[in-house]
Amino acid sequence: MASIVSNQTIPACADIIDVWAFQHYINLLAAGMIFILALLQKRRFRPEVCGGRPALIVPLPLLDGYDNRVSYAAAFGAVTNIVTNLILNLDAPNYINVPFWARTLVLQFRILEACITCFPLFACISTRHKLAGAVLGVTYSSIILGSTFAKAVQYYCQVSQYSATDPALTVFRAVSVLTYIPVVLCFFYLIFKFLLTITKCIRSSTYVITEPLKRVYTHQQQYVRLVLHRGYDPSKETTTCDKLIYRSMPAFKYPVRIISVVFILLLLLYRIGLALILAGAQIVTAMATYSGRQHFPGTKFILLTPVAVDLFAAVYFITAIVCVIVTSFNIYLFMKSYRRHLLRMFRGNKSFILDQLPKPHIMMVNSMRFPGYQVAYMLWGFFMLFLELFVMGSILTYVIYVIIINNRLTDALTSLLRTLSVPATALLWFYLQVALVKRVLMQERIKVTDDTPPLSVDNRRFYECFNYYALFGNLAIGIFSCFWRILQGLILGVFMVGRLDHSIYSRSWEHRDKGYLSYISMLHVDNALNHPMLRVFCDLLLTALDKDGHQHIFQTPVRRNTKAIRRWLVAYTLINNPELAQRRKSVSNNKSQLSRIPEAELECAVDWPIDGGISSSVEFASSGRNVLVYQASPQDHSDL
């Protein structure tokens, strides 16, 4: 441990802790805690070996977990620094010196190391040994919190040391403090939660949860009650206001997986915003240093003036603010889309998803990829959006600035109006066609109460002449419409990169979108394993069994109209076993009249009456797909 703490004193707090050595040593403590929690659990596989211990412990329920959602989200927030360092610090010791082909293996080893480091925080929350988990959780959280404080102080001192002459020193110091605030708050919440758990366990003298795992949750029971009422459709959103405004539903809860992913995205967005502020301060300082030194070749105006630097800084920070707002809004829309889509699937409506689905094991793998994909896609979408808006905004702002300082604003506006007159004329012709068709070519409404007229032509000759002229006139509209389509695709494509709930491809190419496919697979897995109807029904069946699993709740079934039941059972048996019809007494003693019915009517056979109109024997014809039905005589019905 002597290698962790440094003896340097200049400055006194510049090198308090060796980050890389601490990450290796903390894994030993994490592995010990994992082993202790594993010894407390009993396994089901080969329980006779070593008393059934140790067992495999689950860090967090990502499949069907709805409890302790805030605690799991706080645990993810507490390890944000570890995940960030894993992604960004690729210049770590013993990493850049390895061969290029081996870097992937080193990265996977670091990922495994980070998983071991974070594992105790989640395992202490999910374990059924609450007292032991809380004690270990408080200990581990306090150690990691102390190291986080040391890293924060060390970073603050390094910033103060190397940026003493930097005008942006205040920004550096503020960012160095603000970066660690969410992590510290998450650790404080976890410590408070663990201490509260210890207090509850001591007061109630309950140290281990002996109750069986939940098969059904309260919100799932509420969903079933509401669905039994006619007309209940929680996924229906008719107006734009319903699609944008979030309204809570008592019969729906977001699982641990979604809450954790959203919380990670918000924390990373917070850290990216601070990083952009810090980078912006450095860029503005560097541009101000070189302002007034460079000229455009062959011109008299300067490339970077103090005003131009201020304009670039304004564009930079406005772009950063817009990107943060848009990404936050995308996260909000993702949560709404997930709830709406999952509720639709609960009702059996799968029209909004792919028609061609992969195999079940592929879908299961894709659903496991969704959390990582969502975080990665949202980060890439943020950077692409920032780059696009900043480049476009900088070019537009600088062009306007150059035009103004050269007194060319009037000429530029005149040229712009002349250029826009062509698409404006095409747009006018576009809406003129709409008005002309509506007023001249369409028929009137059949009824006064109809909202729209029928899709029928009223003036056939005028329609043919007008359509002939539009065949040539719409060429100009098509050119600008194509350009507008490309522009929309570029803008919306960048805006929708981080949204896995919508594919950026066309309908026939959606199966090529791996991110969207992972989202659809996750919905299918949730629908298959967490459907409220399924879970409530299974819970009713399982609670109806006794400890031995043989006694059913319906011990004395009520039998009503036993004669009708016997007739129905005979008819059902004959329909499914037509070869038995030849062996019946009524067929051998009486001549039956043969008739044919189509195959489609066979599906309605369950609705046939059991009395005098029923067919006493059914068999399939060997020559075709029709069904041969023998009509029995009325006196033979007594044999039923």
Side-chain angles (χ1 to χ4, degrees), residues 28 30 44 116 158 185 195 205 216 239 259 308 368 376 429 543 549 559 589 615 632:
L28 299 177
R44 295 181 180 180
I116 296 175
Q158 290 176 354
L185 292 178
L195 292 176
S205 299
V216 63
T239 62
I259 297 297
M368 296 168 61
W429 170 239
T543 53
R559 299 183 64 86
N589 295 336
S615 59

Side-chain angles (χ1 to χ4, degrees), residues 403 407-417:
I403 291 174
N407 297 323
R408 299 289 184 179
L409 183 60
T410 304
D411 297 337
L413 292 177
T414 304
S415 302
L416 181 62
L417 291 176

Side-chain angles (χ1 to χ4, degrees), residues 377-392:
Y377 278 54
M378 193 66 72
L379 294 180
W380 271 112
F382 179 89
F383 287 119
M384 293 178 64
L385 179 63
F386 178 82
L387 183 62
E388 180 185 18
L389 293 182
F390 179 69
V391 172
M392 294 176 60

Side-chain angles (χ1 to χ4, degrees), residues 45-96:
F45 177 72
R46 302 189 67 178
E48 69 279 359
V49 179
C50 298
R53 304 175 191 273
L56 185 65
I57 55 177
V58 178
L60 71 163
L62 293 176
L63 190 62
D64 58 350
Y66 294 94
D67 294 333
N68 300 321
R69 298 180 299 170
V70 180
S71 299
Y72 288 120
F76 275 109
V79 300
T80 303
N81 282 342
I82 299 176
V83 178
T84 306
N85 293 333
L86 180 67
I87 298 174
L88 298 180
N89 294 337
L90 298 180
D91 56 346
N94 302 325
Y95 182 76
I96 58 176

Side-chain angles (χ1 to χ4, degrees), residues 1 42 68 162 234 258 317 326-327 334 376 378 381 405 421 438 454 459-460 494 537 609 636:
M1 297 293 291
K42 279 192 173 184
N68 300 321
Y162 297 109
I258 300 299
F317 289 108
V326 170
T327 307
F334 157 71
M378 193 66 72
I405 64 175
S421 62
K438 182 179 180 181
N459 194 338
R460 181 66 177 270
V494 174
F537 176 72
D636 294 331

